[in-house]
Amino acid sequence: MGAEGLRAIAAVPVVVEGAVAALLYGGVREPQPIGARTLAALERSAARLAAELAVRAEVERRVAGVETAEITRAARAAHTGPEWERLREAHAELRAIAQEVADPELRERLRDVCARLTGPGPDRGGAPGPALAPREVDVLALVAVGCGNAEVGRRLGLGAETVKSYLRGAMRRLGTHTRMETVVAARRAGLLP
C-alpha cells in the first residue's frame, strides 16, 4: 500500500441523518489482518462522531432560528403600530396602481409619492442605497404587508414564477437570503416605509 508501508486498511463511514459525513480510516504496517475488536472500536468511534456532528448540526439550526426570530422581532419593533401598517398598505397599493396606469407622467408622479413615503433610510444617513428595479420594489412592497407570491402576482398582473424572479433579484442586490431579511434590508435602505 504504497510508501507508507501499510499492509491492511479499514474504513468506517460516519453517517449523519442518512448521509455519509466522514470516513474513519485505520491501518497497520504489520503483516496481520485488522481484527474484529479493532473494527468494533472504529465503529464505536464513528457512532460517537456521528452523534456529535448531529448535535452540532442541530445547534447550528437552532441558532439560525434564533437569529431569524431576532431579525423578525427587530424589524417589527422598528416601525410597528396601526399607523405604520396603514402607511405600508397605502404604499403597496400606490405602487400597484402605478403599474396599472397607462399615462407615464401620472405613473411617475405616483412613484414620486411612494418615494416620499419611504424617505431616506435610517441606516444610510440619506445616502443612496442599492438600486432595485421598480418591479422589484413593487413586489417587495406587497411582500412587506404579508402577501404571498400568488397574491402579489394577482395584484400586479404577474405570474408566480415572475414574482419569484423579482424576489430573487432583490435578494441578490440587497445581499439577503430570505423574504423577511429582504424586506428589512429594503426598509433600512429607504426603499420601503
Side-chain angles (χ1 to χ4, degrees):
M1 295 200 196
E4 292 92 22
L6 297 175
R7 300 292 193 119
I9 295 177
V12 178
V14 178
V15 180
V16 179
E17 296 181 10
V20 176
L23 285 173
L24 292 183
Y25 289 97
V28 293
R29 290 189 172 95
E30 303 298 322
Q32 60 188 12
I34 296 176
R37 287 193 317 205
T38 303
L39 288 175
L42 272 173
E43 289 172 351
R44 285 190 304 275
S45 294
R48 283 192 304 270
L49 181 56
E52 177 63 30
L53 291 174
V55 167
R56 184 174 294 176
E58 179 64 17
V59 167
E60 288 173 0
R61 186 188 67 75
R62 288 184 185 196
V63 166
V66 168
E67 288 172 348
T68 300
E70 181 58 26
I71 288 169
T72 303
R73 187 202 59 73
R76 288 185 181 144
H79 297 90
T80 58
E83 299 82 21
W84 277 100
E85 197 56 36
R86 283 194 296 276
L87 174 68
R88 289 181 182 126
E89 288 171 0
H91 177 263
E93 190 64 25
L94 280 173
R95 291 201 65 92
I97 291 169
Q99 292 307 312
E100 298 171 6
V101 172
D103 180 0
E105 287 181 30
L106 181 55
R107 184 181 312 120
E108 195 54 39
R109 285 180 58 201
L110 287 169
R111 285 193 174 144
D112 287 343
V113 170
C114 289
R116 287 198 315 262
L117 289 175
T118 59
D123 295 345
R124 299 184 327 190
L132 294 184
R135 277 305 225 189
E136 291 171 338
V137 178
D138 295 342
V139 168
L140 281 179
L142 291 169
V143 168
V145 295
C147 295
N149 289 353
E151 178 66 12
V152 171
R154 187 187 66 71
R155 288 188 184 198
L156 296 176
L158 302 172
E161 288 303 313
T162 305
V163 170
K164 289 179 187 177
S165 176
Y166 283 124
L167 276 172
R168 282 192 299 269
M171 288 176 182
R172 189 173 45 255
R173 286 180 195 27
L174 295 171
T176 58
H177 303 289
T178 66
R179 293 164 68 96
M180 176 56 78
E181 194 179 9
T182 306
V183 168
V184 170
R187 285 183 178 145
R188 288 182 177 154
L191 300 168
L192 296 174

